Amino acid sequence: PPASDGGSSMVIATPPLHGGDTELTLSDVAKAVTAGRCLLFLGAGVHAGPSADKPFSYPTASRPPLGGELAQRLADGCDFRREFPHETPPSLQRVALCYEMKHGRDGLVRCLDEEILRAATPSPLLRALAQLPFPLVVTTNYDRLFEKALQAAGKDPDVSVYDKSDETPPTDYPDPTAARPFLFKIHGDIRQPGSIVITDEDYIHFILRMGKERAVPKTVLYRFSTWPTLFIGYSLLDFNLRVLFRTLRFSVDLAPTSYSIDHRPDPLIVSVWGERDRLVRFIAQDVWAIVPELYQRVTGKPLEP
């Protein structure tokens, strides 16, 4: 599949059997968002900074660390490199488990709190997404930056959090609107230590709960099967994300096409998820290029730097 040429033009990695072109793909996404019938799925990559050729600014000091950086910081605090010298680069799930075994769960969450929230602010990109009419948002991020962005946009979100320490299903909000969106934090919230899904053991427990349909509110499951999903801040090369996606789609026969903004989608994943299974259409471009374009199409005005 084609990939971004690094310039200002948009290139859509559309599987040949799936049809469509750049204009049609982005137009489909914009129509669904404008109608308030698109589920936004946010990952940690949404906090990445813009490249030098983009007119936006998001200083490093204002960003929470991404997965690799966070793993390095946790590794520094638990002697991970000395204990496991051959694991390079270190896996965030493994490092987090090592840190938890040395400092306890409270110590792990306290470190995450300090590393994720210290001086972090919503980016222009996140603020733009908060202004768009997404009634339902799912995120694997632990931080509260999107809540802040929604509130700054004059919205009053209903927030529900997966909590592995609670055997009851997460709180459901069945009638979300663009003005009062439903935000589901599927991997927990930094302010609820028992909710965080970060270690290998956390992921195992989470998948077991998913299999029993106790991890996700019914509104999320229903809309996931009836609305297109827009993935931002993820690479489907991430095994955990693919397991989550497959689990959510397990009992759905004819769900709408999903869209993944991924600057460099993996060719093998595109072949399987796009060409063979026709689950996802990949928008192979920098999120800092696509979101401003989507914002202008939906709102009718440019996104100011």
Side-chain angles (χ1 to χ4, degrees):
S4 168
D5 61 4
S8 59
S9 61
M10 274 184 295
V11 181
I12 304 297
T14 305
L17 297 180
H18 222 187
D21 55 21
T22 298
E23 178 62 29
L24 179 60
T25 300
L26 199 56
S27 177
D28 286 346
V29 175
K31 286 178 182 177
V33 175
T34 302
R37 297 178 61 83
C38 184
L39 191 158
L40 177 61
F41 217 117
L42 286 177
V46 76
H47 299 316
S51 56
D53 63 334
K54 300 297 185 293
F56 301 96
S57 175
Y58 190 34
T60 302
S62 298
R63 306 175 207 163
L66 300 183
E69 182 185 356
L70 184 57
Q72 295 288 352
R73 294 189 190 182
L74 290 175
D76 290 340
C78 66
D79 294 327
F80 186 86
R81 296 182 187 87
R82 181 175 61 82
E83 295 288 341
F84 308 99
H86 302 297
E87 295 191 27
T88 304
S91 158
L92 177 58
Q93 290 89 346
R94 286 268 293 165
V95 173
L97 183 59
C98 177
Y99 197 99
E100 180 180 13
M101 295 306 294
K102 184 168 184 177
H103 300 285
R105 187 70 178 188
D106 289 343
L108 171 62
V109 174
R110 185 165 53 252
C111 182
L112 292 174
D113 193 357
E114 294 172 354
E115 296 293 350
I116 291 175
L117 296 183
R118 183 185 301 159
T121 60
S123 69
L125 186 150
L126 207 61
R127 293 198 300 268
L129 290 170
Q131 294 176 52
L132 297 183
F134 289 104
L136 184 57
V137 181
V138 178
T139 183
T140 52
N141 297 339
Y142 318 126
D143 60 73
R144 293 191 166 188
L145 296 181
F146 196 61
E147 290 97 310
K148 292 180 180 179
L150 287 170
Q151 291 163 357
K155 300 183 180 182
D156 184 21
D158 288 313
V159 182
S160 180
V161 180
Y162 164 81
D163 193 337
K164 68 184 183 69
S165 65
D166 187 350
E167 288 299 318
T168 60
T171 304
D172 198 4
Y173 296 95
D175 299 306
T177 65
R180 186 161 188 163
F182 177 11
L183 174 63
F184 178 51
K185 309 188 80 167
I186 197 167
H187 280 173
D189 183 286
I190 197 66
R191 297 300 190 192
Q192 296 178 218
S195 70
I196 301 296
V197 178
I198 188 170
T199 70
D200 282 339
E201 293 301 310
D202 293 336
Y203 277 97
I204 291 171
H205 195 282
F206 176 77
I207 294 302
L208 291 174
R209 287 281 299 276
M210 285 282 290
K212 298 177 181 178
E213 297 186 352
R214 292 205 303 259
V216 181
K218 290 183 178 179
T219 297
V220 174
L221 291 173
Y222 175 68
R223 291 306 180 193
F224 196 81
S225 68
T226 57
W227 287 354
T229 300
L230 178 62
F231 289 96
I232 298 180
Y234 293 103
S235 168
L236 282 170
L237 194 58
D238 184 330
F239 177 79
N240 291 316
L241 176 62
R242 298 204 309 278
V243 170
L244 174 58
F245 186 93
R246 290 284 189 182
T247 305
L248 289 169
R249 289 285 295 260
F250 183 72
S251 59
V252 179
D253 295 325
L254 296 173
T257 298
S258 293
Y259 302 90
S260 174
I261 300 176
D262 187 346
H263 195 193
R264 293 183 177 86
D266 177 76
L268 184 58
I269 298 300
V270 172
S271 295
V272 174
W273 286 63
E275 292 179 20
R276 191 190 73 182
D277 297 345
R278 300 188 178 187
L279 295 173
V280 177
R281 296 185 72 179
F282 294 86
I283 302 177
Q285 179 55 282
D286 185 348
V287 68
W288 285 90
I290 289 294
V291 171
E293 175 69 16
L294 179 62
Y295 180 90
Q296 181 160 3
R297 289 180 182 234
V298 174
T299 67
K301 56 186 180 182
L303 179 62
E304 298 296 334

